Amino acid sequence: MKERKLDQAVNELQLAVFLNPTNAAIQSALKAVLDMKQAEEHYRASLTFTDLGRLGEAQSELNRSVDLDPENAKYHEALDKLQKKRDAEPEDALTLSSDKPITLNFKNTNVKEAFELLAKLSGINILFDEEVRAQPVTVFVKDVSFYQAMNLLLSTNKLFMKKISDDTIIIVPKTKAKMEQYQDLVVKTFYLNTAKSKDMVNLLRSMFEIKKIYVNEPLNSLTVRETPEKIKLIDKVIAANDLKEAEVILDVEILEISRTKSLKYGWNFTDSLTASASLQSTSTSSTGGLTLADLRNLSKDNVLLKLPGVVVNLIKQDSDAKTLANPRVRVLNNKQAKFHIGDKIPVQTSTTQATTVTQVTSTFEYKDVGIKV
C-alpha cells in the first residue's frame, strides 16, 4: 500500500478475506484500499475535465478524491491549484470546448457571421438580441484567446454579452436601456450593530446611485436591491463604518494635602539671652565676700560664670495626603464628561415676614458643594 500498488493489494486482501472472513482488521484494510483506488479514478477524471475546461466538474471529482483518501497530499495540491485557477477566471467565464489560439480575418463582413465563426471555434452557443443590427465589420487578429477576440468584436461594435449558461451567451447592444434590462439585481439586508440606519443610508446615497433601498428603523437595518458588484461595494462601506465609537477611561484621584509642613534644625536659645560672671571666695570661713588674700591668690576656682539655656532642634514634619475620592469615569471619545464629588446642602435664599402675624418664612435652595470636574 505504501508503494501505491493498489491492484496487487486488492487481490491479496481479497484472498485474505476469503481465507479468514471473520477478521475485522483485514476487512477494514480492504475497504481502505478500495477507497484509495476509487479516489485515484476520481483524480484521473478531474484531469480529463480540466483539459476540457470544465473546471466545476473537475473540482467535484477532486473533492471526492480528498474525501476517499484524505491523507494523499497529491489530491490536496491539485485541489488548491484548481481553486486558484477558478478564482483567477472572470465571473462570466464560459466552458469552452477548445482553448486553442484563434485567428480572425474579416473585411466588411456581417458582424453576426463573425460571432458565428467564433462560436464554432470555441464550441459555445451565441444568441442575438432583437436589436442587434447586421452591420459590417473589418477585423484581423492572429493567435489570440477566445476572450480577447470576443472583447474586440464587442468593443468595436458597441455591444456587450450576457452569460446565460456555462456554454451560452447573448449579444446585446450597449445602450443604457438594454444594460438595465439585462442587468442582474439581487436583494440583500444589512443589519447594523452600532451605526444608525438613517445615517448609513445618507452615506450610501452620497457615494452610490442606488436603485432601491429601504430603511427599517426598529430593526436598524437596510435592505438594498442592486447589482452584485455594487452590493459588494456597499458591504465593504458598511463594514468600514459600522464600528463602535472609541471610549476613554479616566482614573481620577481627589487628594486632601496638609500644607502645614515644618523643618527645624540648629540652636534655640532661651528668651532671656544673658550671661553673667562673679568672683567667689575659696575660703570656707568666708561670709560671702573676698579677702585681700583671695585677691592676691585669684585663680579659676574664684570665677563663677552663668550662661543662658540652649536647646538643639533636629525636627522634620511632613503630614501624609488623604484620598477623598478615586472615581473611574468612562466616556466616549471626543465627548465631555462631568462628575461631582460632594453633597447637596440647603442654603437660605430669602425670608418673608407676614404683616398680620409675627411669622417669618424662610426659603431654602439645595446647592452642590464639593468638587466638580
Side-chain angles (χ1 to χ4, degrees), residues 13-27:
L13 288 171
Q14 286 177 344
L15 179 60
V17 169
F18 177 77
L19 297 176
N20 191 0
T22 60
N23 193 319
I26 298 177
Q27 294 179 356

Side-chain angles (χ1 to χ4, degrees), residues 52-194:
L52 296 176
R54 296 158 66 176
L55 302 184
E57 297 177 53
Q59 187 172 10
S60 299
E61 294 294 334
L62 281 176
N63 286 330
R64 294 177 186 173
S65 298
V66 172
D67 292 338
L68 292 171
D69 190 3
E71 296 182 359
N72 195 325
K74 177 177 67 173
Y75 302 151
H76 291 279
E77 292 176 0
L79 187 60
D80 292 339
K81 290 181 181 179
L82 183 60
Q83 185 62 46
K84 291 179 181 179
K85 186 176 180 180
R86 295 196 67 183
D87 293 340
E89 288 186 348
E91 294 183 358
D92 56 351
L94 300 169
T95 302
L96 307 178
S97 61
S98 174
D99 57 355
K100 294 181 180 179
I102 296 174
T103 298
L104 300 179
N105 187 1
F106 298 112
K107 184 177 181 180
N108 294 328
T109 305
N110 188 336
V111 66
K112 292 185 178 181
E113 295 179 3
F115 280 114
E116 289 173 0
L117 177 61
L118 195 60
K120 292 179 181 179
L121 295 176
S122 59
I124 65 169
N125 303 315
I126 297 181
L127 308 176
F128 295 96
D129 182 81
E130 57 183 4
E131 295 186 9
V132 175
R133 297 178 298 173
Q135 56 190 11
V137 61
T138 299
V139 60
F140 173 74
V141 290
K142 184 178 181 180
D143 295 337
V144 296
S145 66
F146 165 79
Y147 292 102
Q148 289 175 328
M150 175 63 71
N151 291 332
L152 181 61
L153 289 176
L154 293 174
S155 59
T156 54
N157 294 276
K158 296 182 180 180
L159 303 170
F160 74 95
M161 73 173 186
K162 174 67 178 176
K163 180 181 176 181
I164 298 177
S165 63
D166 290 340
D167 59 353
T168 304
I169 62 173
I170 183 171
I171 307 299
V172 187
K174 196 173 184 178
T175 62
K176 184 178 180 179
K178 286 296 181 180
M179 292 181 68
E180 292 180 353
Q181 177 182 346
Y182 284 92
Q183 204 169 37
D184 291 331
L185 298 179
V186 296
V187 177
K188 185 173 182 179
T189 300
F190 299 92
Y191 293 95
L192 306 180
N193 297 320
T194 304

